[in-house]
Amino acid sequence: MSSGREEAPDPSVDRATVGAALVQVGTRDDAELVQAVRAGDSRAFTQLVERYQERLFSLARHYTRNRSEIEDIVQDAFVKAYRSLGAFQQQSSFATWIYRIAVNTALDALKRRGRSPVRTVEEPELARRSGPAVLAPDARMGREEVARVTREILDELPEIFRTVLVMREFEDLSYQEIADVLCISIGTVESRLFRARARFRERLLERHPEFAGGAEV
Amino acid sequence: MQCENARSLVPLYADGELSEAQAAPLRRHLMDCQTCREQVQSAKALQRWFVPTEAVPAPAGFAERVTAAALAPEPYEAFPADAPAARAPALGPAGEVELRRFVLRAVAAAAAVLLVLSAAIELRSRPSAVELEAVELPAVLEDLDELNRSAEKRPTDETPARPPNPLGPAERRR
């Protein structure tokens, strides 16, 4: 997950130099912006929102297709963050913290819509095996079709599985970042991802048995 | 490295979660083990189902709107259903009058219900027409009538004569 310090377009310049240069022209890192917000600088909060709004929109759309609901989730997450900034100890990064708030807000929104987030799913059988192998999508399916199938399968998965898959596969979060956001151990992230992928494979092959990859993996 | 160890590392390897020190022996194992290599290929094949979708851009002015919502003095509610208690307005003078009116109506309704109930109970406790039907009196009452009549014929100073029973034995019996 990005630390929030914006990068220069020239990749040859090292990040520390870029960071120092940006601070000189007025770009502050997350910790500085958080401090400024606490001191009453509302413009600093706007900057934080601008910095993370795209990420949160991207996250929220995995929980709802409704555009206005996505906006509500993201706005609600930022407002909650603003109102809780006093309690934010900065033990984790602001990015992790706001992400955590956004995930919880999205899950709450699902609950309100009548879909109760499943937080604990124990399936001993699934815990032992990862399920049948699947082939990668190929020319038989267009990119849009692949995205649609994946989205539909994700929608059917229990929330704990969907959330780790979204964070890992779409948001490209590391195991440690996922652990920090969800307040779970890395071992739990590992086992949850393992089970989530097994479940995903099973659902995928129910819909598209032609993508079976042979032996169980 | 044994296959069992290698397989436990495959998901982390495919996710780029292994350090170089952990990945190097696995890579060496993969060079020699077709089965474990297939495991890695399968993990990577699954990842290709998660195609990046188009970004959802924030609408223009979103950050400013969020900031305004955050700074608003009123309790912010993006999802009002979440906090029904917070939504309920405090009772003002008009609200108090309304509440008092409601309480009075409720009390009046309860009193009416009680009245109807007690009347119904009272009616049920009264004897019915069948229970009030006249029955044949025993012969002893006829004897009493006879005594009364004889007492009327012999009035004394000590015991005033009883007034004659307006109902004769025949009427009584009826």
Side-chain angles (χ1 to χ4, degrees):
Chain A
M1 196 180 292
S2 162
S3 66
R5 196 178 290 279
E6 292 167 15
E7 294 176 15
D10 180 359
S12 64
V13 184
D14 95 356
R15 294 180 65 152
T17 311
V18 171
L22 288 173
V23 168
Q24 280 177 358
V25 298
T27 301
R28 294 174 286 180
D29 68 18
D30 290 353
E32 289 168 328
L33 287 173
V34 167
Q35 282 305 110
V37 176
R38 282 174 167 162
D41 180 359
S42 63
R43 177 63 201 152
F45 182 70
T46 308
Q47 280 182 264
L48 280 171
V49 175
E50 285 168 345
R51 191 169 284 175
Y52 288 102
Q53 58 188 10
E54 300 279 338
R55 296 286 302 271
L56 297 202
F57 268 83
S58 166
L59 171 75
R61 72 168 163 193
H62 293 293
Y63 293 92
T64 174
R65 306 278 168 269
N66 184 302
R67 173 77 201 194
S68 68
E69 202 171 10
I70 291 173
E71 279 190 41
D72 281 347
I73 288 170
V74 177
Q75 173 163 324
D76 198 26
F78 278 122
V79 174
K80 282 177 185 168
Y82 180 83
R83 304 226 160 136
S84 309
L85 262 183
F88 176 46
Q89 302 293 315
Q90 304 207 48
Q91 286 167 345
S92 61
S93 67
F94 178 81
T96 299
W97 188 63
I98 188 67
Y99 218 82
R100 185 185 304 149
I101 293 172
V103 168
N104 287 330
T105 304
L107 292 178
D108 287 345
L110 283 187
K111 210 187 290 178
R112 266 187 299 275
R113 281 191 305 166
R115 179 166 174 171
S116 180
V118 180
R119 295 184 184 274
T120 54
V121 175
E122 293 304 330
E123 290 182 57
E125 284 301 307
L126 271 183
R128 282 202 294 273
R129 60 186 177 83
S130 60
V134 294
L135 299 174
D138 56 22
R140 283 175 285 183
M141 292 178 114
R143 188 184 174 84
E144 288 304 311
E145 176 69 357
V146 172
R148 186 187 62 77
V149 168
T150 300
R151 191 176 62 228
E152 286 175 2
I153 294 172
L154 282 176
D155 283 351
E156 291 174 4
L157 294 186
E159 309 312 334
I160 58 165
F161 292 161
R162 182 198 335 205
T163 296
V164 289
L165 279 176
V166 164
M167 287 182 178
R168 175 63 225 163
E169 305 292 359
F170 289 112
E171 303 299 316
D172 204 26
L173 266 59
S174 69
Y175 286 17
Q176 182 63 61
E177 287 167 337
I178 296 172
D180 289 344
V181 168
L182 299 179
C183 299
I184 55 180
S185 69
I186 288 190
T188 304
V189 172
E190 222 177 294
S191 74
R192 209 173 274 186
L193 262 176
F194 185 81
R195 289 185 292 155
R197 283 169 170 156
R199 187 73 75 88
F200 186 93
R201 283 192 190 97
E202 286 184 351
R203 293 281 188 278
L204 177 61
L205 292 180
E206 282 169 15
R207 289 160 178 259
H208 295 282
E210 69 271 25
F211 285 101
E216 189 169 287
V217 291
Chain B
M1 180 179 282
Q2 301 296 312
C3 284
E4 194 180 340
N5 292 341
R7 284 181 192 175
S8 68
L9 293 175
V10 163
L12 289 93
Y13 179 71
D15 281 333
E17 287 284 330
L18 294 184
S19 66
E20 185 50 35
Q22 293 169 309
L26 177 62
R27 269 198 294 268
R28 281 197 295 277
H29 176 81
L30 292 175
M31 298 276 283
D32 300 328
C33 181
Q34 168 74 17
T35 311
C36 289
R37 221 166 32 238
E38 284 172 1
Q39 297 262 319
V40 175
Q41 285 163 357
S42 175
K44 298 210 176 213
L46 181 70
Q47 289 173 345
R48 290 180 56 193
W49 283 90
F50 297 90
V51 293
T53 46
E54 283 181 24
V56 182
F62 180 77
E64 286 75 17
R65 280 209 305 278
V66 170
T67 305
L71 294 173
E74 289 299 310
Y76 165 80
E77 290 174 272
F79 299 103
D82 208 15
R87 247 185 320 148
L91 282 179
E96 282 175 10
V97 168
E98 199 60 35
L99 179 64
R100 200 172 300 132
R101 222 175 263 167
F102 169 76
V103 170
L104 284 174
R105 279 183 196 143
V107 169
V113 168
L114 274 176
L115 190 66
V116 169
L117 273 176
S118 60
I121 290 166
E122 173 65 21
L123 279 175
R124 285 195 65 177
S125 65
R126 284 187 185 175
S128 67
V130 176
E131 289 168 322
L132 289 172
E133 190 181 0
V135 294
E136 196 71 24
L137 289 172
V140 68
L141 289 178
E142 290 182 12
D143 296 340
L144 281 172
D145 283 336
E146 190 59 37
L147 281 173
N148 282 340
R149 277 195 295 276
S150 55
E152 282 166 13
K153 286 174 189 170
R154 295 182 280 104
T156 62
D157 292 335
E158 293 82 14
T159 54
R162 288 178 67 180
N165 193 329
L167 296 176
E171 283 79 2
R172 270 197 178 178
R173 238 178 260 125
R174 199 169 288 163

